[in-house]
Amino acid sequence: MTTDDRPSDRRPVRTPSIVACPDGPILVRGDVTLVDDSGRAIPRRRSTVALCRCGASAIKPYCDGTHKAIGFTAP
Amino acid sequence: MKLPSPRGPLSRAVTEVLSSPVGGEVGDLAPLTRRALEHSVDLLADDDVQLTLYVMYELFYRGFEGVDDDWEWSPDLLAARRLIELALEQHLSDRVAVPEGVAPARAAVAEALFALTAPTPGPSVARYVAKRATLEQVRELLVQRSVYQLKEADPHTWAIPRLVGRPKAALVEIQADEYGGGDPERMHCELFARTMRGAALDAEYGAYIEQIPAVTLAGVNVMSLFGLHRRWRGATAGHLAAFEMTSSLPNRLYGDGFRRHGFGQDTTEYFDEHVEADAVHEQIAGRDLAGALVQQEPELLHDVLFGAATCLYLDEVVGEHLLSAWGAGVSSLRTA
Ligand code: FES
Ligand SMILES: [Fe+2]
Ligand SMILES: [Fe+2]
């Protein structure tokens, strides 16, 4: 174990995968760096994240469940 | 934690047994248990019965100061516990409406669970907390929630060794996140403890047990009932799915309530974390845990839906208790 293996270093090691949930967010797993428009890394606090697909989340780019309240249906 | 004070004849007998060393004469608890159950008007609101069950289950989590750990598997206690569990199962199956006509397939189950848990307008504890709750009431909410949230995720974790394949991996994925991805500071129970301390409350496990009413204990007892029995693994999966599916939006509102009272991010972090985390967990729990479990073991369909519906039912019972107390301007806690 190296010093980089601290628990707080949440860099995922799993093979990347992207799942579009029916009428919901996009689940992202694995070693993927999320960046904003200007290329800055977006803080990622968990190994599996849900990206908002409905546009209505208050914590974009992440999903906060609002898609259910607005009756979002995925294209 | 300390052994709670009894709330009636049954919890008196059981706490007396637990205060003695294992190996002594227990006496037959069954007749006393039967009598308590027969006299019970509303099992979920019965302080004596729910506290007894809570104490019996707590032996399987962290135990009690000065209580012999060997009581955990005492056949006498387990026999009495079984009687209470049967009554509780009956009470719930008489009252909890389980959706019908759901196909035993992954997508159909997930869809049914999302439909069952769909956000509804109207009064709710979360809306009340966001807009109206006093400082005293938001602190009271934390006390009520502390019975579960200081051991958050533990009851569902019991199901991990009872599952295989995809549902098992899904449960591990959710629980790992509940346990902070292995970071002790990020464990959800620890985030909750920080929220309690932020609100100047005692975050010690079991500190408020004397003030916790029966309905709140019942909510946690049902999770332990499902979690500790392999035959209820379907209900555990369904319960967790419903719990996660009814979390993100309410937690936003709980956070708003605390922000309205001037609490900072260190105190609201628990709620903020759940807005984001449970939007992930609900997707995994609906499809890869509950849905995939039914796909794998179709005979668990009813249990999965029953577990989910039971979660919602208890949430409603506890919610009504809180809102009716607060509406009447009184505390929702027990005054011992
Ligand atoms: S997809 Fe969930 S809030 Fe947008
Ligand atoms: Fe959590
Ligand atoms: Fe969660």
Side-chain angles (χ1 to χ4, degrees):
Chain A
M1 192 177 196
T2 69
T3 47
D4 287 343
D5 291 332
R6 290 170 318 224
S8 56
D9 180 4
R10 212 161 297 289
R11 207 173 49 132
V13 289
R14 195 167 158 182
T15 312
S17 78
I18 293 174
V19 181
C21 301
D23 299 336
I26 293 170
L27 290 188
V28 178
R29 295 181 174 92
D31 195 0
V32 175
T33 308
L34 301 173
V35 293
D36 67 14
D37 191 36
S38 52
R40 270 190 307 262
I42 294 163
R44 178 171 170 181
R45 281 181 295 271
R46 62 198 73 259
S47 58
T48 304
V49 292
L51 297 179
C52 174
R53 182 150 68 126
C54 74
S57 172
I59 56 163
K60 283 196 281 286
Y62 299 121
C63 164
D64 67 357
T66 302
H67 62 272
K68 299 189 290 182
I70 62 167
F72 170 68
T73 50
Chain B
M1 67 183 284
K2 287 197 185 65
L3 199 54
S5 318
R7 301 185 186 178
L10 185 59
S11 50
R12 171 160 297 112
V14 168
T15 50
E16 269 167 20
V17 165
L18 292 178
S19 307
S20 65
V22 173
E25 193 58 38
V26 173
D28 193 357
L29 289 167
L32 191 58
T33 307
R34 279 197 197 89
R35 214 171 313 134
L37 293 170
E38 272 160 25
H39 289 161
S40 191
V41 181
D42 175 0
L43 201 57
L44 298 182
D46 190 312
D47 269 304
D48 193 26
V49 173
Q50 294 300 337
L51 183 74
T52 300
L53 191 55
Y54 174 82
V55 166
M56 287 170 160
Y57 283 145
E58 199 53 39
L59 296 170
F60 288 75
Y61 293 95
R62 308 229 200 139
F64 300 97
E65 286 162 35
V67 168
D68 196 328
D69 286 344
D70 269 352
W71 280 120
E72 180 182 346
W73 291 98
S74 153
D76 301 294
L77 287 178
L78 291 175
R81 192 184 91 181
R82 186 75 200 114
L83 295 174
I84 305 177
E85 289 175 339
L86 285 173
L88 184 56
E89 288 170 14
Q90 189 62 51
H91 183 98
L92 293 170
S93 66
D94 287 347
R95 287 163 182 81
V96 173
V98 175
E100 281 165 34
V102 179
R106 182 173 168 269
V109 169
E111 202 182 311
L113 291 171
F114 277 117
L116 189 65
T117 56
T120 47
S124 73
V125 174
R127 286 191 188 96
Y128 184 91
V129 167
K131 294 250 148 56
R132 294 174 54 194
T134 63
L135 175 61
E136 204 182 336
Q137 288 165 345
V138 298
R139 294 177 74 240
E140 206 172 294
L141 178 80
L142 297 181
V143 171
Q144 292 276 7
R145 296 288 154 96
S146 68
V147 196
Y148 171 61
Q149 250 107 44
L150 290 177
K151 63 173 171 199
E152 184 165 331
D154 290 347
H156 303 96
T157 299
W158 298 116
I160 293 174
R162 282 103 186 230
L163 302 179
V164 293
R166 191 174 195 172
K168 185 193 199 91
L171 183 53
V172 170
E173 186 178 27
I174 295 168
Q175 300 303 82
D177 211 27
E178 299 288 345
Y179 295 124
D183 181 348
E185 294 298 309
R186 301 282 312 162
M187 293 197 293
H188 287 181
C189 56
E190 180 51 36
L191 296 181
F192 192 79
R194 285 215 284 279
T195 294
M196 289 188 82
R197 290 191 285 267
L201 291 164
D202 188 348
E204 168 116 8
Y205 192 79
Y208 294 100
I209 190 65
E210 303 293 344
Q211 296 177 50
I212 303 299
V215 281
T216 305
L217 294 178
V220 189
N221 284 341
V222 165
M223 288 189 230
S224 300
L225 166 70
F226 289 162
L228 282 168
H229 294 272
R230 177 181 170 274
R231 71 190 166 87
W232 279 126
R233 63 198 180 284
T236 298
H239 186 286
L240 182 59
F243 203 94
E244 300 291 355
M245 288 173 179
T246 51
S247 178
S248 287
L249 299 169
N251 271 294
R252 147 65 42 106
L253 296 171
Y254 293 137
D256 288 346
F258 280 80
R259 283 182 279 273
R260 182 168 56 79
H261 282 289
F263 289 103
Q265 214 206 318
D266 48 335
T267 304
T268 62
E269 190 186 8
Y270 174 86
F271 305 112
D272 304 337
E273 160 72 5
H274 279 83
V275 172
E276 187 186 312
D278 289 345
V280 178
H281 299 172
E282 67 178 358
Q283 297 299 336
I284 304 170
R287 278 175 257 282
D288 297 337
L289 172 60
L293 179 59
V294 171
Q295 187 90 42
Q296 211 177 49
E297 298 189 74
E299 65 284 2
L300 293 182
L301 173 66
H302 179 270
D303 287 359
V304 166
L305 298 174
F306 174 69
T310 298
C311 174
L312 301 177
Y313 177 72
L314 285 159
D315 204 44
E316 206 179 289
V317 171
V318 173
E320 274 166 19
H321 173 79
L322 295 178
L323 292 179
S324 70
W326 293 344
V330 297
S331 170
S332 67
L333 298 170
R334 278 180 88 239
T335 42

